[in-house]
Amino acid sequence: MILVILAIPNMQTFACTGFFAIRGDDAFVGNNEDYYSTTQTKIFVKPPEGKKYGRLFFGFYSPEQHYGFGNFNPQGGMNEQGLFFDCFATPPLPVKESENKIEFDDHPLEILLGECATVEDVVAKFNNYNLGFMKKFQIFIADKTGQSAIIEGDKIVRKSGWYQVVTSFYHSNPSLGGYPCKRYETALNILENSKGISIEQFKKILVKTHVENIKYNSRIIETLYSNIYDLRKGLVYVYYRHDFDNEIIINLKNEFIKGKRFYNLQSLFDK
């Protein structure tokens, strides 16, 4: 199960962008998801069940089976408590400090959104498990209380101010690769020079950090989808294949009412 949790390729080519900020009553996250242009993008909705929170995942179709998700490979999402996560490819780095701890008995990302309400919940929960499967990626998490952090495997990098930006290098050790990063600097510069935050401002960052028509092994890499999460209102602003003129707003409460579903992201924009 661990071997097929996340199929994340070379981080230099498939480098996504994520950023979180809190100001006043607003707590927003933005992210660009970059991958092969032929990839089928999906949404997986899981309403509240038992003690599990309602959760919505964005991800890719995968020919491989992913424990608890079938042919869906989750990449990011949010739950009804206003907890967000997204995954970022990184240079290989063995995770050693947790190697003697127990293995996950469910998909780690299902546990993250299904059982945790805050960043602190995630940190406490993941501290119980072997994180050896994270040697080629890191997880960015944020919540509506205003906390955010990057789980690097052995290290946790917490937000130190009112915002945090993540791409595909280790903040604890940038020399391992992926830094300096133009996308990181672009997002950082806009946030550093802002007095407040807004959906339009976050959209501007997504526009300036998206990628398209990058050739890699005879294939094309592009930003497949972009999201702005309003963690306090439970809304997700979605943009498909870097078309920022067309916007769909997903209300988590409405999605959960419709029941458990798995559908193509493109279908939202076909309408």
Side-chain angles (χ1 to χ4, degrees):
M1 182 266 285
I2 293 299
L3 293 177
V4 296
I5 281 178
L6 288 167
I8 298 181
N10 184 285
M11 63 91 196
Q12 296 285 4
T13 306
F14 302 88
C16 306
T17 306
F19 45 97
F20 168 73
I22 180 168
R23 268 288 191 257
D25 295 329
D26 296 320
F28 299 152
V29 179
N31 80 281
N32 279 324
E33 198 72 36
D34 309 333
Y35 203 54
Y36 290 121
S37 62
T38 54
T39 303
Q40 297 180 44
T41 50
K42 304 280 186 176
I43 293 177
F44 202 149
V45 181
K46 294 187 175 185
E49 50 188 334
K51 295 182 179 181
K52 286 194 172 184
Y53 300 120
R55 53 230 182 266
L56 183 147
F57 297 90
F58 288 86
F60 307 144
Y61 166 80
S62 170
E64 298 178 325
Q65 290 287 310
H66 294 261
Y67 188 73
F69 287 97
N71 292 114
F72 177 74
N73 188 354
Q75 300 295 312
M78 178 169 66
N79 69 14
E80 63 180 312
Q81 297 296 310
L83 175 67
F84 155 91
F85 86 90
D86 199 36
C87 299
F88 294 80
T90 52
L93 181 65
V95 181
K96 299 179 179 180
E97 294 182 7
S98 62
E99 60 185 6
N100 293 321
K101 296 182 180 180
I102 62 173
E103 304 289 346
F104 282 92
D105 56 1
D106 199 351
H107 197 296
L109 302 180
E110 168 68 11
I111 290 176
L112 192 156
L113 285 191
E115 301 180 13
C116 301
T118 65
V119 166
E120 294 305 323
D121 287 349
V122 178
V123 172
K125 179 77 71 172
F126 273 49
N127 187 54
N128 297 320
Y129 295 99
N130 184 341
L131 302 183
F133 63 92
M134 289 184 63
K135 64 182 179 181
K136 291 185 179 180
F137 75 98
Q138 57 191 0
I139 302 176
F140 184 37
I141 52 177
D143 65 39
K144 67 180 181 182
T145 73
Q147 299 302 310
S148 70
I150 306 167
I151 302 176
E152 296 184 347
D154 285 336
K155 305 292 184 181
I156 296 178
V157 179
R158 295 178 179 269
K159 176 176 64 66
S160 59
W162 59 272
Y163 59 85
Q164 188 170 29
V165 180
V166 57
T167 53
S168 292
F169 65 89
Y170 293 109
H171 284 248
S172 63
N173 194 345
S175 64
L176 290 176
Y179 185 83
C181 175
K182 182 178 180 181
R183 290 171 295 102
Y184 176 80
E185 296 298 337
T186 297
L188 201 67
N189 182 62
I190 293 175
L191 290 170
E192 283 181 342
N193 290 285
S194 300
K195 294 183 178 180
I197 60 174
S198 67
I199 297 299
E200 283 303 312
Q201 178 207 45
F202 269 50
K203 181 178 175 180
K204 176 182 177 182
I205 298 174
L206 293 176
V207 171
K208 289 183 174 294
T209 58
H210 86 277
V211 301
E212 54 184 293
N213 200 33
I214 296 178
K215 294 181 180 180
Y216 177 74
N217 287 346
S218 301
R219 300 175 71 179
I220 300 298
I221 307 299
E222 67 174 344
T223 297
L224 299 181
Y225 59 82
S226 306
N227 298 331
I228 301 173
Y229 295 82
D230 186 329
L231 302 184
R232 291 183 171 169
K233 293 181 180 179
L235 303 177
V236 189
Y237 297 74
V238 186
Y239 309 92
Y240 184 63
R241 293 190 182 264
H242 50 81
D243 178 3
F244 294 98
D245 292 328
N246 289 296
E247 175 185 274
I248 295 292
I249 303 176
I250 295 177
N251 184 309
L252 261 65
K253 289 184 179 180
N254 293 341
E255 289 296 301
F256 297 148
I257 291 173
K258 298 174 184 176
K260 186 175 181 179
R261 296 189 299 142
F262 174 59
Y263 59 93
N264 290 331
L265 176 57
Q266 181 181 348
S267 67
L268 295 177
F269 294 85
D270 288 342
K271 300 176 183 179

